[in-house]
Amino acid sequence: MQNKYFDKMNNSTPKILWIDDEIDLLRPHILYLKEKGYDVATTTTGKEGLRLIKDQNFDLVLIDQFMPGDDGIETSVHIKSINPSVPIIMITKSEEEWLIDEAIYKKIDRLLIKPINPNQIYAACKQVLESANIFSEKSKNDYLSQFKDTEDLAFQASSIEEWWKIYAKFVKWQIDFDVQREESLVQILKDQFNSVNKIFSQFIINNYPKWLNDNDRPTLSCDIFRRKIKPLLVKNKKICLLVMDAMRLDQFVELNKMLSEDFSVEMEPSLSLIPSATPFSRNAIFSGLFADEMCELYPNQRNEMIEDKGSLNNYEKDFLNDQMKKNGLSDKKMHYHKIWIADEGKRFLTKINNFTKNDLLAIVVNFVDQLAHRRSESDVLKEMVPDESGYRKAVGNWYAKSWIKDVLHELSLADYSVIMTSDHGSVMVSERASVAADKSSSDGIRYKYGTNINSSDRKALDIRDLDRYRLPDLGIRTNYLIAKENYYFIYPNEEKKYRKILENSFQHGGISIEEMLVPILTMKPK
């Protein structure tokens, strides 16, 4: 009876080698596996098993632990030296802990304790051999069965919470499809996400201005301190505010398993301000203000925005100090630390005991944003991080070895709760939007402000009523252009020069699900 998942494995029947000195007693088990469609070869010694493995390709090895000559553990080591990728299931009478530990150390995939019945063996073989194919098939069917419903949900969505659920579905499928090899299915998902992003952009344009003056609004960047940090400080909890610059929901999900080693993690949505960029959304986290209020209260910030300087987040510590005072928290001790490079992060880790004396520890980490910028400038990084999947894996690999993982571990031991979030996400841009602007306009790829700057209405939101969007009037710069979906701004006379650099790069500042829907993780130490 051919198993329905075997066609995923190069249309060949999986081959199993069973090594056991009492193989004749296992005939019922072998016949059962053959009935299920497996090709089973047998031998009674480890030495003969190794000879067969050198001569043939096997998809799985079943091996007894206690045999004359080399035992199962010793034979498994030799098997892995010949074919490191072949999975091994060990069968043994012993339940001693040393054997279990040794099997784990020697990378045995499964350990079964005798007595065993044919169905147990079949279940173990199926799990090892077919789990990836079954998962792939099930996730594919799950997605295709919900394909139409997802777009219907997008058209019907009337709240950020409903959009968050839609976004989480897409992220789940994206991560599930990371293990798929069906490019057509990945492209279908990408096309549908692009379609849903158009609906989201219109939803934001229709609703965002109303939220700015509504106390019952979704949590915006400027609300995070008041809603998430202040209540914990009032209860005398020690808090770390960790802002991972430009990190997206899918990247947070990639880290979630590692974060859960030290913390109980709850995730909820927030909404980046427009433009979804540092001068507006990240400064809003630290100041608790909209950009128009911030520029009025902090003239130096306004002047730097007028001059469009490279760094527009120089006053975050001042913003946070003032927000503490405004919320009646002047008695709380606070430390702010922005970390751009790994060496600075490692130095911070060595001094962590000095910082844990504070009630509030605020840390900004710029790795994810820097990776996106450096990728645009490097062909090597483009090869290493070719798409969203590569971006997720790069962030996960970085975090697993990073100083910030060790910092969070130390904070959990020091009984800190962590509010982990981002100022905005990023979107992979692929469509050009020609823009007309003079030299005094800002340099943004997904947003611009300047004097009478223009682009297609279909590709960008043109904001001229600044008060309606709580945006600062920066003198001669009278309007803002915000790119929608996956568009990027480019000047017609510079298209040839910049198209190669910008196309399929990760950018932020515009209106898209990936940029504007930002997770807030409330992490309590275990």
Side-chain angles (χ1 to χ4, degrees):
M1 179 176 129
Q2 184 70 35
N3 187 294
K4 65 180 178 178
Y5 295 106
F6 288 172
D7 63 345
K8 296 290 182 180
M9 303 170 69
N10 300 318
N11 294 312
S12 62
T13 300
K15 294 179 65 175
I16 297 173
L17 174 62
W18 198 330
I19 308 172
D20 194 306
D21 62 320
E22 297 179 333
I23 200 71
D24 289 339
L25 301 177
L26 300 169
R27 291 302 170 192
H29 302 69
I30 295 166
L31 287 172
Y32 191 70
L33 290 177
K34 288 182 176 181
E35 287 176 6
K36 292 295 184 179
Y38 294 108
D39 182 359
V40 184
T42 64
T43 183
T44 58
T45 67
K47 184 177 181 180
E48 176 64 13
L50 292 174
R51 187 188 67 78
L52 290 172
I53 286 169
K54 288 177 182 177
D55 293 340
Q56 302 178 46
N57 290 320
F58 289 96
D59 299 298
L60 172 65
V61 175
L62 298 170
I63 190 166
D64 186 31
Q65 162 58 7
F66 298 106
M67 300 183 295
D70 287 349
D71 63 19
I73 291 285
E74 293 168 323
T75 303
S76 295
V77 172
H78 295 313
I79 290 171
K80 289 289 187 179
S81 69
I82 298 169
N83 184 353
S85 66
V86 67
I88 299 175
I89 297 176
M90 178 171 287
I91 305 161
T92 178
K93 296 176 183 176
S94 173
E95 298 184 45
E96 294 185 48
E97 189 171 350
W98 72 265
L99 179 58
I100 297 171
D101 292 345
E102 193 68 11
I104 293 170
Y105 176 65
K106 295 296 169 54
K107 299 184 179 178
I108 305 297
D109 295 84
R110 292 288 303 276
L111 188 67
L112 298 180
I113 308 298
K114 293 179 179 180
I116 51 170
N117 61 50
N119 204 52
Q120 283 177 294
I121 286 288
Y122 169 61
C125 292
K126 187 179 181 71
Q127 184 174 15
V128 171
L129 283 171
E130 301 174 47
S131 58
N133 292 326
I134 293 171
F135 179 83
S136 175
E137 191 71 17
K138 293 289 187 183
S139 62
K140 172 184 174 181
N141 292 338
D142 180 40
Y143 169 61
L144 292 176
S145 69
Q146 298 184 51
F147 182 89
K148 185 178 183 304
D149 291 344
T150 302
E151 290 209 15
D152 290 343
L153 287 172
F155 279 113
Q156 297 164 11
S158 59
S159 69
I160 287 300
E161 286 72 21
E162 289 173 355
W163 274 108
W164 181 253
K165 291 177 182 177
I166 294 169
Y167 187 18
K169 278 179 179 284
F170 275 106
V171 166
K172 177 188 180 299
W173 288 322
Q174 286 174 336
I175 292 174
D176 284 354
F177 291 175
D178 280 349
V179 299
Q180 306 256 9
R181 296 181 180 178
E182 297 183 43
E183 289 300 322
S184 60
L185 188 62
V186 173
Q187 188 60 48
I188 290 170
L189 177 64
K190 185 176 181 180
D191 291 343
Q192 188 181 35
F193 203 174
N194 289 339
S195 175
V196 166
N197 242 328
K198 295 180 190 295
I199 305 169
F200 176 79
S201 293
Q202 195 57 51
F203 172 80
I204 290 295
I205 291 168
N206 293 342
N207 291 279
Y208 181 85
K210 294 183 289 188
W211 289 330
L212 302 186
N213 296 303
D214 184 353
N215 289 330
D216 196 29
R217 65 190 176 216
T219 299
L220 305 178
S221 306
C222 54
D223 300 321
I224 289 175
F225 182 92
R226 178 173 56 85
R227 293 186 180 183
K228 305 303 298 182
I229 308 292
K230 179 181 176 179
L232 295 174
L233 288 174
V234 167
K235 294 178 181 177
N236 295 317
K237 301 289 186 181
K238 294 198 293 185
I239 306 300
C240 172
L241 169 61
L242 176 58
V243 179
M244 306 289 281
D245 192 16
M247 186 175 280
R248 308 172 355 157
L249 173 59
D250 58 333
Q251 295 158 355
F252 277 103
V253 172
E254 187 77 20
L255 303 189
N256 197 29
K257 185 176 180 181
M258 289 181 280
L259 296 173
S260 297
E261 293 171 5
D262 294 310
F263 297 92
S264 298
V265 181
E266 293 181 3
M267 190 181 298
E268 60 188 287
S270 69
L271 192 70
S272 169
L273 295 188
I274 293 176
S276 51
T278 294
F280 305 88
S281 55
R282 195 163 101 194
N283 282 338
I285 292 174
F286 288 96
S287 68
L289 303 170
F290 291 109
D292 58 348
E293 299 172 292
M294 181 180 62
C295 287
E296 184 176 342
L297 290 173
Y298 302 93
N300 288 339
Q301 178 70 44
R302 181 178 184 274
N303 292 336
E304 291 192 2
M305 292 174 72
I306 290 173
E307 295 171 15
D308 194 26
K309 291 189 173 180
S311 179
L312 295 171
N313 57 344
N314 293 323
Y315 306 106
E316 289 174 348
K317 183 178 180 180
D318 296 335
F319 292 159
L320 188 55
N321 268 319
D322 290 349
Q323 188 169 192
M324 295 273 284
K325 293 175 185 175
K326 184 171 66 176
N327 283 276
L329 298 167
S330 301
D331 60 319
K332 302 294 184 182
K333 292 180 63 178
M334 186 273 289
H335 177 79
Y336 165 88
H337 214 107
K338 179 162 58 181
I339 300 173
W340 288 86
I341 58 175
D343 285 346
E344 173 60 24
K346 291 172 184 175
R347 285 193 292 271
F348 179 82
L349 175 61
T350 63
K351 300 176 182 178
I352 190 65
N353 290 334
N354 296 333
F355 301 131
T356 53
K357 299 171 184 176
N358 292 279
D359 301 293
L360 175 63
L361 182 58
I363 308 172
V364 177
V365 180
N366 281 88
F367 170 81
V368 180
D369 189 41
Q370 286 189 68
L371 177 60
H373 288 302
R374 298 291 182 269
R375 178 187 176 276
S376 299
E377 303 162 359
S378 167
D379 289 337
V380 174
L381 278 178
K382 286 178 184 176
E383 289 282 336
M384 295 174 64
V385 187
D387 51 22
E388 282 94 343
S389 176
Y391 202 2
R392 279 191 292 278
K393 291 171 184 172
V395 171
N397 290 336
W398 161 75
Y399 178 81
K401 305 290 185 181
S402 72
W403 57 270
I404 190 62
K405 184 175 187 290
D406 294 332
V407 164
L408 287 176
H409 176 70
E410 293 299 323
L411 291 178
S412 73
L413 297 178
D415 201 32
Y416 269 79
S417 293
V418 178
I419 303 298
M420 183 177 181
T421 188
S422 184
D423 44 358
H424 53 74
S426 67
V427 65
M428 182 178 251
V429 296
S430 58
E431 301 290 336
R432 301 184 303 282
S434 294
V435 63
D438 61 27
K439 291 183 179 180
S440 66
S441 299
S442 65
D443 292 332
I445 307 302
R446 290 276 290 165
Y447 77 99
K448 288 185 178 293
Y449 48 89
T451 302
N452 197 31
I453 48 178
N454 291 281
S455 186
S456 164
D457 290 342
R458 183 174 62 85
K459 299 177 180 179
L461 170 65
D462 187 344
I463 300 175
R464 295 178 184 261
D465 185 349
L466 305 188
D467 290 340
R468 188 165 181 256
Y469 283 84
R470 303 299 305 267
L471 292 171
D473 184 345
L474 301 174
I476 61 170
R477 294 169 174 162
T478 56
N479 72 305
Y480 291 71
L481 276 186
I482 315 295
K484 302 176 186 177
E485 299 127 40
N486 60 350
Y487 290 100
Y488 63 92
F489 292 135
I490 196 165
Y491 296 117
N493 61 332
E494 295 182 331
E495 182 172 325
K496 186 175 180 180
K497 178 180 177 182
Y498 287 105
R499 181 178 173 182
K500 182 181 177 183
I501 297 172
L502 296 178
E503 199 154 289
N504 294 321
S505 64
F506 291 96
Q507 303 291 341
H508 57 264
I511 300 174
S512 72
I513 294 173
E514 300 99 307
E515 290 164 291
M516 292 194 67
L517 287 184
V518 179
I520 301 175
L521 278 61
T522 300
M523 300 163 47
K524 297 179 181 178
K526 288 184 174 179

